[in-house]
Amino acid sequence: MEAVKKNVLTYSGLKALEDELQDLKVNQRREIAEKIKEAREQGDLSENAEYDAAKDEQAHIEARIEEIEKLLKNVEVVDEDVVDLNKVNVGCMVTLLDKEFDEEVEFRLVGSTEANSLSGKISNESPLGMALIGAVVGQTIDVETPGGMAQYTVLKIERATN
């Protein structure tokens, strides 16, 4: 039997998923039911684009609810307040020196569910995230990227703030 993969989340990531699930179940389900009811009242469903669109939207909502519930069943929450700041781990903010461009970059290391590179959150399962896990201040790491090898030096490890 295959081991079930744990979904690593920070408390803020867990709260965001729980809030989204609540909104989907309470608000969006009600809204879509109303749209379907209104579309049905218009008569012939075979040529009713509004009805088809509402049913598609309902399917997307139900799929997202199922996806979130599945994620939450196998969640491992990282308490950012007790993260060991002597080494890089999920839940910490890390400042790196990008050796190629000689510039500082800052990332928050999170589980893959929360990853969003545009907001500076990188996954612990990404090439950079995997290379960073366990690294200490002053350590230089090599990371295989699509553009070739990249080198980073860990400058600072801090507690992530929301």
Side-chain angles (χ1 to χ4, degrees):
M1 189 168 138
E2 186 179 323
V4 177
K5 178 183 170 262
K6 287 283 186 193
N7 300 302
V8 178
L9 288 173
T10 59
Y11 274 117
S12 59
L14 177 65
K15 172 114 176 65
L17 276 178
E18 288 173 338
D19 290 349
E20 181 184 354
L21 183 61
Q22 179 71 10
D23 179 57
L24 287 167
K25 285 183 165 183
V26 175
N27 301 323
Q28 293 191 37
R29 270 184 175 164
R30 186 177 332 123
E31 289 171 15
I32 200 63
E34 189 59 36
K35 285 181 185 177
I36 291 170
K37 180 179 175 237
E38 289 172 12
R40 275 193 180 132
E41 291 170 355
Q42 294 176 10
D44 185 7
L45 297 181
S46 65
E47 294 181 18
N48 188 329
E50 288 177 31
Y51 178 78
D52 292 340
K55 290 300 276 184
D56 286 347
E57 188 177 344
Q58 181 184 40
H60 289 295
I61 289 170
E62 293 304 322
R64 181 63 181 153
I65 288 171
E66 186 178 325
E67 179 184 5
I68 293 172
E69 286 177 338
K70 186 177 174 186
L71 279 169
L72 293 177
K73 280 183 183 166
N74 295 305
V75 75
E76 179 181 320
V77 180
V78 174
D79 187 349
E80 295 152 299
D81 293 333
V82 296
V83 169
D84 178 2
L85 298 179
N86 293 317
K87 62 183 182 208
V88 178
N89 212 326
V90 174
C92 69
M93 186 69 79
V94 61
T95 304
L96 307 172
L97 174 65
D98 182 328
K99 297 278 203 165
E100 181 180 357
F101 298 104
D102 194 33
E103 67 182 11
E104 287 187 19
V105 290
E106 189 174 74
F107 295 107
R108 181 173 176 188
L109 198 60
V110 296
S112 60
T113 308
E114 292 178 76
N116 180 343
S117 59
L118 297 177
S119 61
K121 295 179 180 179
I122 62 165
S123 168
N124 62 321
E125 297 175 14
S126 69
L128 178 56
M130 288 189 296
L132 281 171
I133 295 286
V136 296
V137 172
Q139 183 175 344
T140 298
I141 58 165
D142 295 320
V143 182
E144 181 73 45
T145 70
M149 287 301 283
Q151 274 196 331
Y152 298 93
T153 299
V154 179
L155 299 178
K156 193 168 27 172
I157 303 169
E158 303 173 287
R159 201 164 305 293
T161 55
N162 292 335

